[in-house]
Amino acid sequence: MRLSRSFLPVLKESPSDAQIVSHKLMLQAGLVRQTAAGIYAWLPLGLRVLNKIADIVREEQDKAGACELLMPTLQSAELWRQSGRYDAYGPEMLRIKDRHEREMLYGPTNEEMITALFRDDVKSYRDLPRTLYHVQWKFRDEVRPRFGVMRGREFLMKDAYSFDLDEAGARLSYYTQLLAYLRTFQRLGIRAVPMKAASGPIGGDLSHEFIVLAPTGESEVFYDSRFEEIDWSKTDIDYSDEAGLHGLFDQVSSTYAATDETHDEAKWSEVPSERQRTGRGIEVGHIFYFGDKYSAAMGLKVSGKDGSNVTPMMGSYGIGVSRLVGAIIEASHDDKGIVWPEAVAPFKVGLVTMRGDDEASVAVAEDLYRQLTAASVETLYDDRDERGGVKLGGMDLMGLPWQLVVGPRGVAAGMVELKDRRTGEKFEIPIDAAVARLS
Ligand code: ATP
Ligand code: MG
């Protein structure tokens, strides 16, 4: 993408109305703009990150055997009356009437809708187990929307729902999602620790919150540093191996990790002190097993092997896709700006001409841009007639993993400069080696 053709409004000053660093950086680097309280427009740079996160989430869901569909944002109140949650949900639900005075709502979550869809088409034990998911906007009329996209009112969530014939099957579906989450977050370039959670208004008895460490996090957390020892993105999980799934789950759940809500001092004291980690954290995912809570209330039944009726056991599994954009920045930035993990960076390379008025540099940069684009290396090319220092500052702020800098002196010697954003290391490389180096 050429900067001269993009919509990338970078702010010179750090916005004073944002309280936390990720929100400041997202506004300053032109990722989002607030259009109403807790509601954001995603500008091109922010949207690229959001889409990359969603794609990784999808890949890991698909690998774990979940199946994607798409449910609408608007739902009828009638559905929620079937589960009894229409009255129970309270003021966080945005309630709307259509022109026929029918009561509608903007979905805060989708247990009711997925249960109804499944109920209307599934009749037999042969159709189970299933895990279905979608990536869709939610609306919750939060009392205090704040911290930008971290606690918005409209936000993007991946929510999956599992249906099993019995509790043993449902637990296996739960373990599968838990392990898929460990891989997902690690691929996103962050470490999210699964912590036993109180299950809250959705109900149920088995629940974990996935928490990313960051000083601005809303919850206090305690965990065993063993969680830092495994790279799940490099751990292949065989989702068809039941015994293996049980083993991995036991390993995870026997390693201490809790939020202040579930913290247990006696168990904590058994963790050797050199392995005790405490801090604050941001919830980026939450999974629940809730048995027949919705299936029973909404009359979902299938015929069992022996012909009797069986009420499926369910779980639900959320990931805060839009919140993750903020959470990743909280976990990965420095005093110059964002430092994107490569997997979610909006572009891999920022290409900069130091002197927009130097014909030889511009010719080299144009040629590099053409070649990088042809090699499918995602490149943001700052082709504006701006001072070099301003362009480099902008690139640092936007946090692309690599900067390729073209200046008159280097070009005369047949060289360009490659900078690693994370380490700040700079390398002089021959112009004709640059594309191969980056692809
Ligand atoms: P929180 O405790 O942060 O209010 P929650 O427990 O109400 O979240 P869940 O119902 O578990 O949220 O939703 C699943 C995921 O959706 C959360 O783990 C979080 O990452 C994300 N999420 C929830 N509420 C918001 C919000 N207001 N803005 C952005 N993301 C959100
Ligand atoms: Mg939650």
Side-chain angles (χ1 to χ4, degrees):
M1 184 162 89
R2 281 176 191 273
L3 231 154
S4 64
R5 291 299 185 96
S6 72
F7 182 47
L8 224 166
V10 168
L11 306 177
K12 287 209 178 68
E13 304 290 324
S14 165
S16 56
D17 50 334
Q19 292 158 290
I20 60 170
V21 65
S22 60
H23 188 197
K24 277 185 202 291
L25 290 171
M26 286 183 76
L27 292 172
Q28 204 181 347
L31 271 64
V32 290
R33 288 291 179 262
Q34 180 171 290
T35 59
I39 302 179
Y40 290 85
W42 291 81
L43 305 190
L45 202 66
L47 181 62
R48 292 180 72 97
V49 178
L50 190 69
N51 285 338
K52 291 206 167 170
I53 295 173
D55 285 346
I56 291 175
V57 168
R58 287 190 171 97
E59 277 176 32
E60 293 301 325
Q61 288 291 300
D62 295 349
K63 269 186 216 159
C67 185
E68 186 175 9
L69 45 67
L70 182 60
M71 291 176 270
T73 52
L74 293 182
Q75 307 188 18
S76 78
E78 175 45 34
L79 257 183
W80 286 66
R81 291 214 166 86
Q82 293 176 23
S83 71
R85 271 210 296 184
Y86 189 65
D87 295 322
Y89 211 92
E92 280 201 359
M93 180 184 276
L94 180 65
R95 297 161 208 254
I96 308 160
K97 273 189 185 149
D98 70 9
R99 61 161 70 192
H100 304 292
E101 294 289 306
R102 278 186 293 243
E103 291 172 290
M104 311 284 292
L105 57 103
Y106 193 130
T109 179
N110 284 67
E111 280 82 6
E112 282 76 2
M113 190 178 279
I114 196 78
T115 305
L117 283 167
F118 205 72
R119 175 192 64 202
D120 295 346
D121 278 292
V122 165
K123 304 289 171 220
S124 152
Y125 69 91
R126 287 188 208 90
D127 299 317
L128 296 173
R130 289 290 188 280
T131 296
L132 308 175
Y133 76 96
H134 71 163
V135 179
Q136 178 62 293
W137 296 92
K138 305 287 185 285
F139 194 96
R140 293 183 187 171
D141 206 349
E142 300 271 355
V143 197
R144 269 181 72 208
R146 59 190 176 138
F147 301 159
V149 300
M150 295 262 246
R151 185 168 295 287
R153 292 198 298 164
E154 189 188 47
F155 59 96
L156 190 61
M157 197 202 285
K158 182 286 298 183
D159 38 325
Y161 304 89
S162 63
F163 299 87
D164 280 270
L165 277 177
D166 53 26
E167 183 177 331
R171 285 188 175 261
L172 208 59
S173 297
Y174 184 94
Y175 300 167
T176 298
Q177 284 284 322
L178 183 139
L179 295 166
Y181 274 37
L182 290 170
R183 276 186 54 85
T184 303
F185 292 122
Q186 198 132 28
R187 279 190 62 195
L188 295 173
I190 51 176
R191 183 172 297 282
V193 178
M195 312 208 169
K196 291 201 179 64
S199 56
I202 297 186
D205 70 347
L206 183 57
S207 178
H208 286 84
E209 288 175 345
F210 285 76
I211 305 239
V212 174
L213 267 304
T216 48
E218 288 184 326
S219 27
E220 203 181 342
V221 297
F222 307 80
Y223 70 94
D224 185 328
S225 67
R226 279 205 177 136
F227 276 112
E228 293 164 357
E229 288 162 15
I230 308 172
D231 184 346
W232 291 97
S233 68
K234 299 200 172 77
T235 311
D236 268 322
I237 298 166
D238 179 358
Y239 292 108
S240 63
D241 170 16
E242 269 189 39
L245 294 180
H246 277 275
L248 286 170
F249 178 79
D250 290 345
Q251 183 190 330
V252 169
S253 66
S254 62
T255 308
Y256 192 89
T259 63
D260 41 8
E261 276 181 53
T262 53
H263 186 52
D264 178 337
E265 277 297 339
K267 285 197 182 133
W268 182 232
S269 64
E270 290 165 19
V271 178
S273 60
E274 70 278 10
R275 291 210 322 253
Q276 290 183 350
R277 297 283 183 276
T278 58
R280 304 200 67 80
I282 302 165
E283 178 192 324
V284 289
H286 199 165
I287 60 178
F288 306 86
Y289 166 63
F290 46 72
D292 66 358
K293 183 176 156 103
Y294 297 95
S295 43
M298 297 183 68
L300 163 61
K301 284 193 182 75
V302 298
S303 62
K305 270 187 189 143
D306 57 2
S308 66
N309 279 332
V310 180
T311 301
M313 305 302 248
M314 294 174 59
S316 75
Y317 314 90
I319 290 184
V321 176
S322 51
R323 177 179 286 183
L324 271 164
V325 180
I328 292 171
I329 298 173
E330 287 294 326
S332 185
H333 66 271
D334 61 19
D335 54 359
K336 297 193 184 71
I338 304 169
V339 181
W340 290 115
E342 194 148 331
V344 300
F347 295 91
K348 182 173 179 182
V349 183
L351 174 63
V352 169
T353 47
M354 289 306 284
R355 290 267 305 273
D357 58 355
D358 176 56
E359 270 179 41
S361 318
V362 172
V364 167
E366 288 286 332
D367 192 42
L368 284 170
Y369 181 59
R370 205 172 331 107
Q371 290 185 53
L372 286 165
T373 309
S376 300
V377 179
E378 293 172 306
T379 304
L380 178 64
Y381 173 24
D382 193 345
D383 59 342
R384 294 169 308 161
D385 187 11
E386 259 291 359
R387 284 190 299 119
V390 170
K391 294 184 183 179
L392 292 180
M395 286 297 174
D396 278 347
L397 176 64
M398 288 184 273
L400 312 182
W402 298 99
Q403 293 170 16
L404 192 56
V405 184
V406 185
R409 230 176 306 135
V411 166
M415 305 293 273
V416 285
E417 186 186 275
L418 185 63
K419 180 175 139 183
D420 180 334
R421 172 66 181 88
R422 187 173 292 276
T423 62
E425 265 180 289
K426 294 174 178 170
F427 315 89
E428 286 289 321
I429 56 172
I431 295 170
D432 49 18
V435 176
R437 177 79 184 258
L438 287 164
S439 35

